[in-house]
Amino acid sequence: MTGIIGLHHVTAICGSPQENVDFYVRTLGQRLVKKTVNFDDPGTYHLYYGDEAGSPGTILTFFPFVDAGPGRAGPGMAETVAYAVAPGAFDRAMEQLALSAVDFEGPAERFGARVVALQDPDGMPVEIVETDGAPDVAHTFHSVTLRLADPEPTARLLTDIFGYREVGEETVGGVSRLRLQAADGGPGGIVDLRRDPGRSIGRQGAGTIHHVAFRAHDNADQLAWQERLRTAGFDVTPVIDRQYFNAIYFREPGGVLFEIATDPPGFAVDEAPETLGEALKLPPQYEGYRRRIEEILPPIKVPA
């Protein structure tokens, strides 16, 4: 059994769906690859952004709750998603942010690479990292940062079970990070563990990350991970059909909700690749309620 490949997707909570779409499509240049509903709450959108194909390792998803109060990341929560951008495009990315009147900090240097930090409309931290071999636009994940009171148990899960390796530790501006990388070093293969001594208390809400999903090659690979995690003592859910992937969930030792999601079938399973994200797609159990659901959901206009 090989190690985890890297990130599959990251799911967060936001407020206004239109502000969310405007920022991720117009400002960051991502594609809305799926417009569906929260399968556990069909009166709420579930929006998926990614590269043109909606490839695993590029997918950032949101549950928009219009009346959601502001959240705040704290120990036991994922805090930041970072996108990788090629060295030749990094300065252009900063220029584009400035032209779009987006405030950002940096560039700063972290583990030898330039990083700029910004916030989405709900205050969720988003970073862009200059990375050799990355695309010219911010489509592919570079990393996710977890905020942990004690990073060591989470690090052991990532190294001893997921197959990650520690690649560095540094403290800048009072922020201490332990960096781990997936064995194959592919896209979205980095997890940063930020040590938080616990003086702050997190609160789930708009602008916070709900869970972090890692990739499984297929259903058989996912079942093997499920068995391996249960053997290691983790309380893992049964396989749940999420239409575009199958999912299993468990709480990692530091408190962050982890998911392992299959690469197939992908986002073209219910609409053509060239029209991804244009129509509201519902899972079969909710098709009979489509008219009512469409009346509840606020309209969204995707920027051209």
Side-chain angles (χ1 to χ4, degrees):
M1 188 176 187
T2 58
I4 286 285
I5 310 165
L7 297 174
H8 182 281
H9 67 267
V10 175
T11 292
I13 298 169
C14 69
S16 163
Q18 187 62 62
E19 288 184 2
N20 188 259
V21 169
D22 288 344
F23 178 80
Y24 283 97
V25 174
R26 178 181 292 148
T27 303
L28 288 192
Q30 299 194 0
R31 184 182 186 188
L32 180 67
V33 296
K34 190 63 62 180
K35 183 169 58 175
T36 183
V37 294
N38 182 336
F39 288 9
D40 301 318
D41 177 12
T44 303
Y45 278 120
H46 195 177
L47 305 176
Y48 292 74
Y49 305 94
D51 65 2
E52 278 298 299
S55 306
T58 73
I59 301 298
L60 180 62
T61 95
F62 285 91
F63 297 131
F65 295 100
V66 175
D67 297 326
R72 181 177 62 199
M77 299 173 68
E79 181 179 46
T80 308
V81 293
Y83 289 96
V85 171
F90 185 82
D91 289 338
R92 291 198 300 274
M94 284 195 294
E95 291 169 3
Q96 186 58 48
L97 290 173
L99 289 172
S100 301
V102 175
D103 290 332
F104 62 89
E105 297 180 0
E109 185 168 311
R110 183 186 304 158
F111 294 105
R114 292 196 295 169
V115 181
V116 294
L118 56 143
Q119 295 184 338
D120 78 1
D122 292 289
M124 192 182 89
V126 177
E127 295 176 338
I128 297 174
V129 184
E130 188 175 35
T131 307
D132 290 333
D136 288 344
V137 292
H139 285 169
T140 303
F141 285 137
H142 171 271
S143 58
V144 64
T145 297
L146 312 184
R147 196 160 164 172
L148 303 167
D150 179 7
E152 299 310 320
T154 304
R156 285 198 295 274
L157 162 67
L158 291 170
T159 56
D160 297 353
I161 298 179
F162 278 14
Y164 280 60
R165 59 190 175 89
E166 294 185 9
V167 293
E169 188 169 7
E170 71 174 28
T171 300
V172 177
V175 176
S176 176
R177 293 173 180 271
L178 175 64
R179 173 158 290 186
L180 299 101
Q181 187 165 22
D184 72 355
I190 291 175
V191 178
D192 278 355
L193 307 184
R194 174 182 170 179
R195 184 180 297 276
D196 186 319
R199 288 190 288 269
S200 62
I201 298 175
R203 181 181 62 242
Q204 199 85 72
T208 61
I209 294 173
H210 184 267
H211 66 265
V212 176
F214 297 85
R215 293 174 62 186
H217 293 285
D218 51 31
N219 292 339
D221 189 33
Q222 184 185 61
L223 290 174
W225 282 112
Q226 183 187 52
E227 178 61 26
R228 186 168 183 178
L229 287 162
R230 285 176 172 169
T231 299
F234 290 94
D235 184 13
V236 188
T237 69
V239 174
I240 300 173
D241 181 359
R242 295 302 189 193
Q243 185 89 355
Y244 311 108
F245 47 83
N246 285 330
I248 58 174
Y249 301 88
F250 69 102
R251 194 72 66 176
E252 60 87 24
V256 182
L257 182 62
F258 275 7
E259 173 184 347
I260 296 179
T262 57
D263 282 0
F267 295 98
V269 69
D270 60 356
E271 58 186 332
E274 58 269 21
T275 59
L276 287 176
E278 293 184 6
L280 175 66
K281 308 304 293 186
L282 299 177
Q285 65 267 31
Y286 295 136
E287 274 296 348
Y289 305 96
R290 173 175 284 274
R291 183 173 178 180
R292 176 62 180 146
I293 290 172
E294 289 179 337
E295 288 175 348
I296 294 172
L297 296 174
I300 293 175
K301 184 176 182 180
V302 180

